[in-house]
Amino acid sequence: MLIRRCAVVWLEPREIANFQFDDLLAGGTGIVSRLAWFAHAPYLSMAVEVDAEHVPLLGALGPVDWVERDMLDARIGPDAVDGLLEAGLLLAKPTGDDAPADEGFRAIGWHAPAAVAHMAARWEGIDGPQGMAEQDVDTNEGLLRNHGAPPPHVIPSLQPDAEIGLPRIERDAFDALLDTRATCRNFDTDAVVPLATFSQLMARVFGARGIGRPAPGFDVYKRTSPSGGSLHPTDCYLIVQRVEGIAPGLYRYRIDTHALEPVTPRIEAPQSGDVGTRALDGAPARAWRKEELRAFARIAVAGQDFFADAPVLCVLAPRFHRNFWKYRNHAKAYRVCVLDVGHLSQTLQLCATQAGLGPFVTGAINEVDLERAFGMTPYTQSPLAVCGFGQRAATLVKSEFDPNRLVWPRD
């Protein structure tokens, strides 16, 4: 059997603490720590623990040339080789026409550190408000108590006498639009987005504004937001809850035809109270009920109920291989994908505000659950943010940052 290491491995020394009652009885704190090694391989779903004595082997074995297993057995023992093969860190060369297990990852062109960081930062089954630093008064007061004052909002001037003042601007309608953009946390759960408004927002934010062909077989679309290399790798997947004339469900927006493609969920229908998703157990998927779609929306935004109430949630998921086709193994390529999602989300914020709707965007999302539902391979395509829009509620219940009272006027 021929063996080689998987394409990318990052080895992390991690201190793991656990409670041991015997230590407490012996006069200790009860908290006992141990140092463990974890291997991160981007084509695997999670990091795997490895024995410390096997770490040098992973550093010494290459990802390109195949070596005989007998040599490795003699070096570290057959049980260790079996363990690393089972973990997916060592790969056996296929004897038939099958490709090696990580061939799909190798073909995309990831910059290795970016691939590790992306895969390690994905969430699954996180129920956010209990674990995230929500920006409300109580939490901010707690942050001040625990961490002191934040860094100043402005870096002090090193040459105050040399500063050049700029003329005051004349405010116009665009300034008013910018000032009335505020993240919505209070959606009207009965209001339905008109189909014409929904279509306009999809066209303005995600639609094609022009098409070019710089080379045979290479089509380039223009959007209202910039994109590195004009590649526009980000797809918009949708959780549609309340849009006039569109059945609630999961969709993908088609930039080429300005249409919605229905997506058959790859998971069991979520139930109220679920914090994560479950893959289908072989039974065919069925249409979800209203409360099941709402339960999935809540999972998508990591338990942030105020965002899950939006009539439309847009899952922004770059196809990394679209970008990396041009920028292979490039240190900035993943950053450009992140920027791509940021540009689109900001354009959506302004377009939704102009349409009289409340927008939001959040990076606190359960990427793994979204990937599972929409059928994404995470190193090929993965969500980086979820944004959405809808009619604001008539009453302010959850605080929104509106210091100038342009969205919620004072009584």
Side-chain angles (χ1 to χ4, degrees):
M1 176 190 292
L2 295 175
I3 292 177
R4 73 182 180 190
R5 199 196 74 215
C6 61
V8 173
V9 176
W10 175 60
L11 295 166
E12 174 199 5
R14 184 187 303 177
E15 189 174 40
I16 300 176
N18 56 72
F19 177 78
Q20 292 187 11
F21 190 62
D22 290 344
D23 180 77
L24 185 64
L25 292 177
T29 63
I31 305 300
V32 178
S33 299
R34 68 180 179 90
L35 183 65
W37 285 91
F38 282 81
H40 298 257
Y43 92 101
L44 299 178
S45 60
M46 63 182 67
V48 294
E49 186 173 355
V50 296
D51 292 338
E53 58 266 28
H54 302 157
V55 168
L57 172 68
L58 291 172
L61 192 63
V64 177
D65 296 327
W66 299 94
V67 301
E68 290 288 348
R69 170 167 180 162
D70 291 345
M71 182 271 292
L72 294 180
D73 285 346
R75 182 173 176 180
I76 65 170
D79 291 343
V81 174
D82 286 340
L84 293 174
L85 283 168
E86 184 177 355
L89 302 173
L90 297 184
L91 305 174
K93 185 176 183 179
T95 55
D97 296 331
D98 293 337
D102 69 341
E103 191 65 26
F105 172 77
R106 289 172 180 261
I108 289 178
W110 272 96
H111 182 61
V116 171
H118 170 74
M119 297 296 287
R122 292 152 58 246
W123 281 359
E124 177 181 8
I126 297 296
D127 196 24
Q130 286 73 34
M132 295 185 300
E134 284 301 302
Q135 298 305 306
D136 55 31
V137 173
D138 293 338
T139 301
N140 285 334
E141 290 177 351
L143 289 172
L144 289 169
R145 285 194 304 269
N146 295 332
H147 306 297
H153 67 282
V154 175
I155 298 175
S157 176
L158 298 178
Q159 303 181 65
D161 295 337
E163 291 182 1
I164 302 173
L166 299 177
R168 294 292 181 182
I169 64 168
E170 293 294 330
R171 295 175 55 84
D172 59 18
F174 190 64
D175 289 291
L177 175 64
L178 292 172
D179 288 342
T180 51
R181 186 218 60 81
T183 296
C184 181
R185 292 185 168 196
N186 299 271
F187 287 102
D188 184 338
T189 55
D190 294 321
V192 175
V193 175
L195 180 59
T197 302
F198 173 79
S199 179
Q200 182 186 66
L201 289 177
M202 291 295 103
R204 283 182 169 177
V205 181
F206 304 109
R209 313 292 283 198
I211 302 175
R213 179 168 289 178
F218 180 24
D219 291 336
V220 177
Y221 291 89
K222 179 178 178 59
R223 278 174 166 164
T224 53
S225 296
S227 182
S230 298
L231 293 169
H232 291 287
T234 301
D235 282 335
C236 174
Y237 289 82
L238 293 148
I239 305 171
V240 174
Q241 300 194 92
R242 297 182 302 281
V243 173
E244 177 190 19
I246 298 178
L250 308 185
Y251 296 90
R252 180 170 71 100
Y253 177 73
R254 296 293 303 264
I255 186 175
D256 52 346
T257 58
H258 183 54
L260 297 186
E261 175 188 0
V263 174
T264 300
R266 311 293 181 89
I267 59 173
E268 295 182 12
Q271 303 302 310
S272 178
D274 286 354
V275 298
T277 58
R278 298 174 296 277
L280 286 171
D281 57 3
R286 61 169 176 80
W288 290 351
R289 296 186 292 271
K290 176 182 178 181
E291 60 270 19
E292 294 170 336
L293 188 62
R294 169 57 169 73
F296 177 65
R298 186 181 187 279
I299 293 171
V301 293
Q304 299 174 91
D305 289 282
F306 37 84
F307 292 152
D309 286 336
V312 178
L313 291 89
C314 303
V315 180
L316 305 187
R319 288 179 294 134
F320 301 117
H321 52 298
R322 168 77 177 175
N323 185 280
F324 300 168
W325 167 82
K326 181 175 183 179
Y327 304 111
R328 295 192 64 81
N329 304 304
H330 197 295
K332 304 296 184 181
Y334 178 69
R335 182 179 298 182
V336 169
C337 289
V338 176
L339 287 170
D340 199 67
V341 168
H343 295 321
L344 290 168
S345 67
Q346 173 63 2
T347 301
L348 179 65
Q349 307 303 295
L350 294 181
C351 290
T353 301
Q354 191 274 337
L357 300 176
F360 80 88
V361 60
T362 179
I365 63 175
N366 280 315
E367 296 92 339
V368 177
D369 294 297
L370 286 164
E371 292 161 357
R372 185 178 295 132
F374 285 103
M376 302 176 192
T377 301
Y379 59 75
T380 300
Q381 182 172 35
S382 181
L384 296 185
V386 171
C387 49
F389 54 88
Q391 185 67 42
R392 269 191 169 86
T395 304
L396 179 68
V397 176
K398 186 69 177 178
S399 64
E400 296 181 10
F401 187 62
D402 179 31
N404 297 321
R405 296 291 188 177
L406 297 177
V407 178
W408 298 98
R410 292 180 175 84
D411 295 333

